[in-house]
Amino acid sequence: MKRFILTAVVAAVALACVGQAQAAVETYTVDLNGYAVIGFVGSTPDDYARAQQQASSWELQRHLMLKPQSIKAVAIDESQGVALNQAQLRDAIVQAALAKTP
């Protein structure tokens, strides 16, 4: 019984930590005439690393036909200390998507 309770507590703490780690990355969607680009934006170096992981995971699933083919994912680095306004952020997401190979 003690092992079951300990396992449940460890699992709950792990899930809580994962939920907090994912919340640090902001997500934006840009519509490009029928296609969409999801930009995962990291505001610190750790957040940017998470954003890259999320974008890579999305793209892998897209290539395996598990995600819609009309949606591309990119990671945006905002950890340089310069906050982007909405127009600059949209341009950065579009440029990153265009620079990526299909």
Side-chain angles (χ1 to χ4, degrees), residues 14-87:
L15 287 175
C17 291
V18 168
Q20 289 176 352
Q22 299 297 330
V25 175
E26 297 177 15
T27 306
Y28 296 91
T29 305
V30 176
D31 183 21
L32 297 175
N33 297 327
Y35 292 96
V37 180
I38 296 178
F40 295 101
V41 181
S43 57
T44 66
D46 291 338
D47 292 346
Y48 179 58
R50 279 188 212 97
Q52 286 179 316
Q53 289 174 338
Q54 288 178 334
S56 295
S57 174
W58 180 280
E59 285 296 300
L60 176 64
Q61 292 177 16
R62 186 174 72 90
H63 288 291
L64 293 173
M65 303 290 194
L66 300 174
K67 296 280 186 181
Q69 297 300 301
S70 61
I71 302 175
K72 187 180 271 193
V74 296
I76 303 297
D77 185 8
E78 201 176 51
S79 66
Q80 306 301 327
V82 177
L84 302 174
N85 64 28
Q86 291 295 328

Side-chain angles (χ1 to χ4, degrees), residues 82-101:
V82 177
L84 302 174
N85 64 28
Q86 291 295 328
Q88 292 171 330
L89 190 58
R90 182 187 188 289
D91 291 341
I93 291 171
V94 170
Q95 291 302 319
L98 294 175
K100 237 180 170 181
T101 57

